[in-house]
């Protein structure tokens, strides 16, 4: 199953910023622009790696991805979404059948309950449609702020910052936007990232953390911002060649 092309271009208007004191960063505005300029060359159109076919299946996939890998979620949901790509169809399946589809995912019993419960709320409260505001999205069972931000970005084209474990680690490790909580990191990143790069920023940071600035050992020798990075852990000051990476590939592995 291919990932749905629900992504939209960044809004023409600049994203709203909170009117408060500027956030202190280890990086100057010029350095911040250069960091994200390089990410934009490396991955001009970054995409999330959870497979989905519409906003509803995206909500379900992101909710299922908590404490699980995207690859593991995709493996389980390919078959599920073929038979249940709307909240009505998911309710028809029932919790027990949903459990069977997702039993390879961690915490699958509780997640199956949430999938049925959020489907019921979508039908009863939102006429079967995924809401387009964070306040409404977080009302759905199993949907937190991070999930809501992913949906707002990938399904509805809003510039958000979904702080997962990769972004939280990188923001603190390279001193980009250090914070003690995901919400604190999110707030700082939303303030310091240049407007022209904000829409794709969360995907750039996630992919950078997943494939380069890894948790156990950052691969500084492959890092395009090694010369700019201010992490005390870094092992190289020489940036990797700045070239566009191959397009991301979705779907089952043959």
């Amino acid at each position: 199953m291919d990932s749905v092309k629900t992504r939209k271009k960044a809004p023409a208007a600049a994203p709203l910023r909170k009117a408060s004191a500027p956030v202190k960063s280890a990086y100057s505005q010029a350095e911040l622009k250069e960091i994200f300029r390089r990410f934009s060359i490396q991955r001009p159109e970054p995409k999330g790696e959870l497979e989905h076919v519409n906003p509803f299946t995206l909500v379900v996939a992101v909710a299922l991805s908590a404490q699980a890998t995207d690859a593991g979620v995709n493996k389980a949901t390919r078959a599920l979404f073929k038979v249940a790509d709307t909240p009505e169809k998911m309710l028809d399946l029932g919790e027990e059948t949903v459990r069977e589809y997702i039993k390879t995912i961690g915490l699958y019993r509780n997640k199956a309950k949430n999938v049925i419960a959020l489907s019921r709320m979508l039908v009863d409260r939102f006429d079967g449609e995924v809401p387009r505001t964070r306040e409404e999205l977080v009302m759905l069972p199993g949907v937190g702020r991070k999930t809501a931000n992913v949906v707002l970005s990938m399904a509805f084209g809003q510039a958000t910052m979904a702080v997962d474990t990769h972004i939280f680690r990188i923001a603190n490790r390279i001193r980009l936007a250090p914070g003690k909580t995901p919400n604190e990191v999110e707030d700082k990143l939303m303030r310091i990232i240049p407007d022209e790069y904000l829409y794709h920023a969360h995907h750039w940071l996630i992919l950078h953390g997943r494939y380069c600035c890894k948790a156990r050992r950052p691969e500084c020798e492959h890092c395009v911002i090694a010369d700019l990075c201010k992490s005390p852990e870094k092992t190289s000051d020489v940036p990797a060649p700045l070239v566009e990476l191959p397009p991301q590939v979705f779907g089952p592995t043959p």
Side-chain angles (χ1 to χ4, degrees), residues 152-197:
L152 290 174
S153 173
M154 292 181 65
F156 303 127
Q158 297 184 31
T160 63
M161 181 55 60
V163 177
D164 70 346
T165 55
H166 297 297
I167 292 183
F168 187 76
R169 180 182 72 253
I170 289 176
N172 282 283
R173 174 186 273 168
I174 73 173
R175 301 170 62 203
L176 183 65
K180 295 181 179 179
T181 67
N183 283 358
E184 186 179 350
V185 169
E186 176 189 337
D187 180 66
K188 289 183 177 181
L189 287 171
M190 288 295 291
R191 295 174 195 253
I192 67 170
I193 295 172
D195 286 351
E196 63 266 36
Y197 297 117

Side-chain angles (χ1 to χ4, degrees), residues 91-105:
L91 289 174
D92 288 342
L93 280 186
E95 184 180 326
E96 185 175 345
T97 303
V98 171
R99 276 205 309 265
E100 285 300 305
Y101 276 102
I102 67 170
K103 63 185 179 182
T104 56
I105 301 174

Side-chain angles (χ1 to χ4, degrees), residues 6 26 54 61 74 83 93-95 107 114 134 136-137 144 163 171-172 181 189 250:
T6 51
N54 56 30
N74 290 340
V83 297
L93 280 186
E95 184 180 326
L107 307 175
N114 284 336
R134 183 184 292 112
E136 291 174 315
L137 282 167
V163 177
N172 282 283
T181 67
L189 287 171
F250 301 95

Side-chain angles (χ1 to χ4, degrees), residues 21-223:
V23 175
K24 291 183 179 179
S25 173
Y27 300 84
S28 67
Q29 277 298 305
E31 289 172 326
L32 288 167
K33 284 191 175 185
E34 179 60 15
I35 286 171
F36 288 97
R37 183 192 73 83
R38 294 185 192 180
F39 286 158
S40 73
I41 292 173
Q42 190 178 44
R43 295 185 189 273
E45 289 290 331
K47 295 177 174 62
E49 298 187 329
L50 284 172
E51 297 170 15
H52 57 286
V53 297
N54 56 30
F56 169 67
T57 54
L58 177 61
V59 171
V60 172
V62 181
L64 293 177
S65 71
Q67 300 181 40
T69 66
D70 287 1
V73 171
N74 290 340
K75 186 175 181 179
T77 57
R78 283 180 194 129
L80 174 63
F81 293 159
K82 285 181 180 178
V83 297
D85 59 358
T86 68
E88 293 85 359
K89 292 178 182 177
M90 196 68 74
L91 289 174
D92 288 342
L93 280 186
E95 184 180 326
E96 185 175 345
T97 303
V98 171
R99 276 205 309 265
E100 285 300 305
Y101 276 102
I102 67 170
K103 63 185 179 182
T104 56
I105 301 174
L107 307 175
Y108 74 95
R109 293 181 183 275
N110 189 56
K111 289 178 179 179
K113 287 183 180 180
N114 284 336
V115 167
I116 293 299
L118 73 83
S119 297
R120 172 62 63 192
M121 182 177 283
L122 286 173
V123 170
D124 292 346
R125 188 158 186 165
F126 298 105
D127 297 321
E129 297 294 323
V130 176
R132 293 174 176 246
T133 70
R134 183 184 292 112
E135 292 72 24
E136 291 174 315
L137 282 167
V138 297
M139 293 168 57
L140 300 173
V143 175
R145 187 179 180 89
K146 187 203 82 172
T147 297
N149 282 339
V150 172
V151 174
L152 290 174
S153 173
M154 292 181 65
F156 303 127
Q158 297 184 31
T160 63
M161 181 55 60
V163 177
D164 70 346
T165 55
H166 297 297
I167 292 183
F168 187 76
R169 180 182 72 253
I170 289 176
N172 282 283
R173 174 186 273 168
I174 73 173
R175 301 170 62 203
L176 183 65
K180 295 181 179 179
T181 67
N183 283 358
E184 186 179 350
V185 169
E186 176 189 337
D187 180 66
K188 289 183 177 181
L189 287 171
M190 288 295 291
R191 295 174 195 253
I192 67 170
I193 295 172
D195 286 351
E196 63 266 36
Y197 297 117
L198 184 57
Y199 179 66
H200 285 315
H202 86 280
H203 278 140
W204 283 325
L205 291 172
I206 287 170
L207 295 170
H208 186 65
R210 184 173 292 162
Y211 298 115
C212 183
C213 198
K214 298 178 181 178
R216 291 190 178 182
R217 187 189 79 82
E219 297 182 0
C220 302
E221 66 275 18
H222 299 144
C223 179

Side-chain angles (χ1 to χ4, degrees), residues 233-249:
E233 299 178 42
K234 76 173 182 178
T235 57
S236 174
D237 289 315
V238 180
L242 186 57
V243 296
E244 184 174 340
L245 295 176
Q248 291 169 261
V249 177

